[in-house]
Amino acid sequence: MVQKERQGGVLLLTLNRPERLNALTGEVLEELWAALQEANQDQEVRAVLLTGAGRAFSAGQDLTEFGEEKPDYEAHLRRYNRVVEALSRLEKPLVVAVNGPAAGAGMSLALWGDYRMAADGASFSTAFVRIGLVPDSGMSFLLPRLVGLAKAQELLLLSPRLSAEEALALGLVHRVVPAEKLLEEALAVAQELAQGPTRAYVLTRRLLLESHRLSLSEALALEAVLQGEAGRTLDHEEGVRAFREKRPPRFQGR
Ligand code: T3D
């Protein structure tokens, strides 16, 4: 359901239920969560790349999972929230390659990428209101930060299906590439990040995620704390040494 493959320092995670457009079930969420824990624990993994198998990235919650029973959405959401917490605190940079439709919680997962790429035929739809639900999996947190409040209102209330180019124009993704090149290009970005100062990337994510709720003084204080942490890494030492020696740095993620 979640396929794992190592490509050098990159852990490639593929949502793998192509026959259901990689719709999310409890089992998929469990496997994704476990794979993220593995990525954190494995020192050899320096970056994670998340994509979908087949023609979709993910259609969000599998709407057939609940059968005729009324779902306990609150309980169910705890499973999503655990994954979202794991994504937001992932100790490695995360690249997301959106290969096709990303809807509902599938779109939310995609937005957690530190670097987000889309195939030219990919699409994005918030989808929640179409089935009478509210945004989840961090969508209400990330969307207004990425596109602004007015656009977030439009995307959440009207749920248009955005093309990859529209998503690029809005800042939902960083780059759009031809579908046949997506994995290759996304892997290249992930490999580049995997060779970088990965602690600094993760601390940078934390600063950016915190920035909106902090006053200037608080943001400055957090920068000082995290710069202290970055400044104690071997990668910082190596970066400065390499600069002085006029050679490319060899970062280790420590
Ligand atoms: O706690 C909780 O559980 C609440 C959490 C909620 C989180 C959420 O994610 S809520 C939102 C759930 N997702 C949706 O509502 C999306 C529904 N799907 C779509 O909007 C579209 O299918 C797509 C935009 C994803 C793709 O459109 P398209 O035109 O490429 O494909 P299609 O023809 O609509 O779908 C193809 C098949 O996939 C179709 O099945 P069939 O007729 O061939 O047997 C369709 O029913 C199935 N499918 C699509 N999405 C889902 C799905 N099956 C189960 N769950 C889905 N989410």
Side-chain angles (χ1 to χ4, degrees):
M1 300 232 165
V2 177
Q3 192 179 301
K4 293 179 281 180
E5 192 189 325
R6 278 287 297 283
Q7 300 249 1
V10 176
L11 178 66
L12 170 60
L13 299 180
T14 308
L15 300 170
N16 193 20
R17 292 184 76 219
E19 70 289 355
R20 278 254 166 239
L21 305 187
N22 303 316
L24 304 166
T25 59
E27 212 178 322
V28 174
L29 292 169
E30 184 68 37
E31 285 190 20
L32 183 54
W33 181 82
L36 296 171
Q37 306 313 303
E38 260 179 66
N40 280 342
Q41 279 147 24
D42 189 339
Q43 294 302 315
E44 303 290 307
V45 172
R46 303 277 311 284
V48 177
L49 170 55
L50 178 66
T51 192
R55 76 171 182 86
F57 176 73
S58 171
Q61 169 62 38
D62 188 325
L63 298 174
T64 64
E65 187 179 40
F66 301 119
E68 295 308 309
E69 284 167 37
K70 209 155 180 57
D72 180 351
Y73 280 124
E74 270 179 68
H76 195 73
L77 256 188
R78 278 180 221 121
R79 276 197 275 193
Y80 276 95
N81 290 355
R82 193 168 73 138
V83 170
V84 169
E85 297 274 5
L87 288 170
S88 70
R89 294 188 191 144
L90 189 65
E91 290 168 29
K92 323 284 160 114
L94 175 67
V95 176
V96 173
V98 181
N99 51 304
M107 175 171 165
S108 305
L109 292 188
L111 295 185
W112 282 103
D114 297 302
Y115 193 81
R116 303 176 294 280
M117 294 174 72
D120 48 8
S123 67
F124 296 79
S125 41
T126 59
F128 297 98
V129 287
R130 289 193 184 272
I131 55 167
L133 290 180
V134 299
D136 68 25
S137 308
M139 176 87 75
S140 66
F141 179 89
L142 282 180
L143 199 59
R145 286 166 169 75
L146 289 170
V147 303
L149 183 59
K151 202 68 194 175
Q153 287 168 318
E154 185 185 8
L155 299 186
L156 290 170
L157 298 189
L158 301 181
S159 186
R161 192 161 169 181
L162 300 174
S163 67
E165 287 300 336
E166 287 170 321
L168 179 67
L170 285 174
L172 292 174
V173 294
H174 296 100
R175 195 168 0 142
V176 175
V177 297
E180 64 279 8
K181 289 260 176 207
L182 179 68
L183 200 55
E184 179 189 329
E185 298 270 343
L187 258 172
V189 173
Q191 301 282 12
E192 183 183 332
L193 293 176
Q195 284 161 30
T198 40
R199 287 296 309 146
Y201 297 148
V202 169
L203 296 174
T204 300
R205 180 206 296 138
R206 199 166 136 201
L207 281 171
L208 294 179
L209 286 178
E210 296 280 341
S211 67
H212 290 260
R213 70 172 185 90
L214 300 180
S215 66
L216 173 61
S217 311
E218 289 165 334
L220 291 172
L222 186 62
E223 283 179 2
V225 170
L226 298 192
Q227 195 67 294
E229 199 173 324
R232 288 189 292 276
T233 60
L234 294 178
D235 282 347
H236 170 57
E237 225 174 84
E238 164 64 6
V240 174
R241 196 180 311 119
F243 176 79
R244 287 197 186 123
E245 293 170 6
K246 298 189 188 304
R247 61 170 174 80
R250 289 180 294 267
F251 293 121
Q252 300 172 53
R254 288 189 286 156

